[in-house]
Amino acid sequence: GDSVTQMEGPVTLSEEAFLTINCTYTATGYPSLFWYVQYPGEGLQLLLKATKADDKGSNKGFEATYRKETTSFHLEKGSVQVSDSAVYFCALSDNTNAGKSTFGDGTTLTVKP
Amino acid sequence: GAVVSQHPSRVICKSGTSVKIECRSLDFQATTMFWYRQFPKQSLMLMATSNEGSKATYEQGVEKDKFLINHASLTLSTLTVTSAHPEDSSFYICSARASWGANTEAFFGQGTRLTVV
């Protein structure tokens, strides 16, 4: 079945540091890939997405590129802020299976001033 | 963008009672909605897929008689936790897809924090 493997956390960075959260996936079809962010006590917010190979999703300074050859969708940001502290989930949606989403375990990011 | 509203956001109930959680797509029709459960500091686990006008499809290990799902219209799905017990305390999140097929995304509700005392 489909699966998503995320870099284990927690990750602690200083403000303005470079962020990378690794994500790899296994899927039988041609999935769409997503990064979601969850702030404490809240639901999920879509951060960015990519729907086909070589697409780059970007939003709020975050970006991730759909790499089919390495089955990866790593999240990056050049300069993190304290307000970026949250839990980040990598997910895929298998477009051939009625749209179920499969999530990674989540990576907790803490940015210190 | 598409908005999914989940209600209530927080609920505390006594052990043995039932709790209903609503998931509404506010500005689009959703033939399929999904219900997830999230334990503290863990990922989201799919509980069931809710299809409008038909029975929900439950994931392995999810008790269908305990977690009743109804998808009576294209904009509303409900999850009822029956005879709730403290171990049912969790964060429940729904999502809805705007259309079925390639290049679509699921829009998530705000989640419901259920505490059973």
Side-chain angles (χ1 to χ4, degrees), chain B residues 1-4 27-28 107:
Chain B
V3 178
V4 175
D27 51 3
F28 65 98
F107 300 94

PDB file of all heavy atoms in Angstrom, chain B residues 1-4 27-28 107:
ATOM      1  N   GLY B   1     -10.971  30.116  -1.635  1.00  0.00           N
ATOM      2  CA  GLY B   1     -10.756  28.682  -1.743  1.00  0.00           C
ATOM      3  C   GLY B   1     -11.851  27.899  -1.070  1.00  0.00           C
ATOM      4  O   GLY B   1     -12.725  28.452  -0.416  1.00  0.00           O
ATOM      5  N   ALA B   2     -11.810  26.584  -1.236  1.00  0.00           N
ATOM      6  CA  ALA B   2     -12.823  25.723  -0.656  1.00  0.00           C
ATOM      7  C   ALA B   2     -12.704  25.694   0.866  1.00  0.00           C
ATOM      8  O   ALA B   2     -11.599  25.631   1.400  1.00  0.00           O
ATOM      9  CB  ALA B   2     -12.666  24.324  -1.219  1.00  0.00           C
ATOM     10  N   VAL B   3     -13.834  25.752   1.539  1.00  0.00           N
ATOM     11  CA  VAL B   3     -13.853  25.793   2.996  1.00  0.00           C
ATOM     12  C   VAL B   3     -14.629  24.604   3.539  1.00  0.00           C
ATOM     13  O   VAL B   3     -15.728  24.306   3.092  1.00  0.00           O
ATOM     14  CB  VAL B   3     -14.494  27.107   3.505  1.00  0.00           C
ATOM     15  CG1 VAL B   3     -14.557  27.112   5.034  1.00  0.00           C
ATOM     16  CG2 VAL B   3     -13.710  28.304   3.003  1.00  0.00           C
ATOM     17  N   VAL B   4     -14.034  23.955   4.511  1.00  0.00           N
ATOM     18  CA  VAL B   4     -14.697  22.868   5.223  1.00  0.00           C
ATOM     19  C   VAL B   4     -14.833  23.278   6.681  1.00  0.00           C
ATOM     20  O   VAL B   4     -13.854  23.650   7.319  1.00  0.00           O
ATOM     21  CB  VAL B   4     -13.893  21.564   5.111  1.00  0.00           C
ATOM     22  CG1 VAL B   4     -14.536  20.468   5.974  1.00  0.00           C
ATOM     23  CG2 VAL B   4     -13.824  21.104   3.662  1.00  0.00           C
ATOM     24  N   ASP B  27     -18.705  25.781   0.412  1.00  0.00           N
ATOM     25  CA  ASP B  27     -18.846  26.418  -0.885  1.00  0.00           C
ATOM     26  C   ASP B  27     -18.578  25.473  -2.048  1.00  0.00           C
ATOM     27  O   ASP B  27     -18.279  25.914  -3.162  1.00  0.00           O
ATOM     28  CB  ASP B  27     -17.916  27.646  -0.973  1.00  0.00           C
ATOM     29  CG  ASP B  27     -16.495  27.303  -0.571  1.00  0.00           C
ATOM     30  OD1 ASP B  27     -16.214  26.125  -0.281  1.00  0.00           O
ATOM     31  OD2 ASP B  27     -15.664  28.232  -0.547  1.00  0.00           O
ATOM     32  N   PHE B  28     -18.696  24.181  -1.790  1.00  0.00           N
ATOM     33  CA  PHE B  28     -18.563  23.215  -2.867  1.00  0.00           C
ATOM     34  C   PHE B  28     -19.278  21.936  -2.458  1.00  0.00           C
ATOM     35  O   PHE B  28     -19.583  21.722  -1.288  1.00  0.00           O
ATOM     36  CB  PHE B  28     -17.092  22.927  -3.185  1.00  0.00           C
ATOM     37  CG  PHE B  28     -16.328  22.247  -2.072  1.00  0.00           C
ATOM     38  CD1 PHE B  28     -16.133  20.877  -2.082  1.00  0.00           C
ATOM     39  CD2 PHE B  28     -15.797  22.982  -1.015  1.00  0.00           C
ATOM     40  CE1 PHE B  28     -15.431  20.251  -1.054  1.00  0.00           C
ATOM     41  CE2 PHE B  28     -15.098  22.367   0.002  1.00  0.00           C
ATOM     42  CZ  PHE B  28     -14.910  20.996  -0.013  1.00  0.00           C
ATOM     43  N   PHE B 107      -9.712  19.189   1.336  1.00  0.00           N
ATOM     44  CA  PHE B 107      -9.738  20.357   2.216  1.00  0.00           C
ATOM     45  C   PHE B 107     -10.158  19.894   3.601  1.00  0.00           C
ATOM     46  O   PHE B 107     -11.144  19.182   3.760  1.00  0.00           O
ATOM     47  CB  PHE B 107     -10.702  21.404   1.664  1.00  0.00           C
ATOM     48  CG  PHE B 107     -10.311  21.879   0.299  1.00  0.00           C
ATOM     49  CD1 PHE B 107     -10.846  21.293  -0.839  1.00  0.00           C
ATOM     50  CD2 PHE B 107      -9.403  22.916   0.144  1.00  0.00           C
ATOM     51  CE1 PHE B 107     -10.477  21.715  -2.104  1.00  0.00           C
ATOM     52  CE2 PHE B 107      -9.035  23.352  -1.121  1.00  0.00           C
ATOM     53  CZ  PHE B 107      -9.566  22.745  -2.241  1.00  0.00           C
TER      54      PHE B 107
END
